[in-house]
Amino acid sequence: MPTLTLALSKGRIFDETLPLLAAAGLVPSADPETSRRLIIGTNSPGITLLIVRASDVPTYVQYGAADLGVAGKDVLLEHGGDGLYLPLDLEIGRCRMAVATRRGYDWAGTIQRGARIRVATKYVKTAREHFAAKGMHVDLIKLYGSMELAPLTGLADVIVDLVSTGNTLKANDLVVVEDIMPISARLIVNPAALKLKRDIVQPLLDSISQAVTARRGVLEAAQ
Ligand code: PRP
């Protein structure tokens, strides 16, 4: 019987993916928050979870080291999506990609003057495309985290980052000046795995898809 591997990152994606997997009858045999194991079995003998860094999920799936994965749209845009089949928006990990800067920064004036600005971000590709589409000249500075510090220390004029509750921006006296796009996590599949292991991949995709629809119904009813 062929085995199936699913790449997931710890934290919010893992926590929010669990109920969708449970609806498909899949329960992990360990909690990655407490276990140091990176390969975690499930109640289904043929299905294994790989715990990888969020930004590495598309790479594992692209090369077939994992058959499926769950990755944020933010990560997928930076990866480029080569060699990946994206069948499903899981509607979890919802947030938005936005441009933010110090409160009081004259963003409208900067745009009007056509001034060249410095943009600090982990999402270099997304930021480059966003500002290019606006015809703005930017110098991009790649950071790996704590981007909020960049406008506060003079490293950059603005940041491009994910905003969820807005608490991190608020705590650092930053404000959103432009929305770029809504973000959510996607199920990604290696195309060869889909072909060769369709007997187990397709039912799993169908179950997860049904779970997403059911979850949407519950959320809409609660509104
Ligand atoms: C993200 C993002 C912000 C924060 C936004 O960071 O980079 O810092 O969450 O969330 P909020 O609007 O609810 O405050 P994350 O915690 O994912 O860590 P990272 O800095 O390693 O990306």
Side-chain angles (χ1 to χ4, degrees), residues 145-197:
S146 300
M147 281 167 268
E148 294 81 7
L149 265 180
L152 303 176
T153 55
L155 177 63
D157 300 292
V158 301
I159 58 172
V160 167
D161 196 5
L162 297 178
V163 182
S164 177
T165 60
N167 290 340
T168 310
L169 290 182
K170 208 167 164 196
N172 291 290
D173 215 18
L174 302 177
V175 290
V176 168
V177 287
E178 256 173 42
D179 257 320
I180 299 182
M181 68 178 83
I183 298 290
S184 57
R186 313 293 157 120
L187 190 70
I188 59 177
V189 185
N190 176 279
L194 181 63
K195 230 190 252 171
L196 299 171
K197 302 181 182 180

Side-chain angles (χ1 to χ4, degrees), residues 28-189:
S29 56
D31 176 359
E33 292 301 337
T34 51
S35 164
R36 304 288 297 176
R37 294 184 65 92
L38 299 175
I39 302 178
I40 295 181
T42 68
N43 59 331
S44 171
I47 305 185
T48 303
L49 308 182
L50 304 181
I51 306 302
V52 306
R53 216 184 145 142
S55 49
D56 292 335
V57 170
T59 309
Y60 274 82
V61 177
Q62 173 185 8
Y63 289 98
D67 299 306
L68 300 98
V70 176
K73 187 177 175 189
D74 52 325
V75 165
L76 288 168
L77 288 170
E78 291 302 305
H79 172 270
D82 272 0
L84 298 175
Y85 169 55
L86 279 68
L88 198 57
D89 181 347
L90 295 176
E91 301 176 15
I92 58 171
R94 282 182 183 279
C95 54
R96 56 200 173 114
M97 182 80 73
V99 183
T101 188
R102 295 187 314 276
R103 187 182 300 283
Y105 181 93
D106 183 15
W107 179 242
T110 301
I111 293 180
Q112 223 166 25
R113 287 194 305 279
R116 192 174 186 94
I117 56 161
R118 280 201 294 192
V119 180
T121 187
K122 187 151 87 173
Y123 307 102
V124 172
K125 201 168 167 191
T126 306
R128 185 184 296 118
E129 282 166 17
H130 174 70
F131 290 111
K134 288 170 64 79
M136 285 180 72
H137 300 289
V138 299
D139 292 317
L140 293 161
I141 300 174
K142 167 89 183 181
L143 289 179
Y144 295 87
S146 300
M147 281 167 268
E148 294 81 7
L149 265 180
L152 303 176
T153 55
L155 177 63
D157 300 292
V158 301
I159 58 172
V160 167
D161 196 5
L162 297 178
V163 182
S164 177
T165 60
N167 290 340
T168 310
L169 290 182
K170 208 167 164 196
N172 291 290
D173 215 18
L174 302 177
V175 290
V176 168
V177 287
E178 256 173 42
D179 257 320
I180 299 182
M181 68 178 83
I183 298 290
S184 57
R186 313 293 157 120
L187 190 70
I188 59 177
V189 185

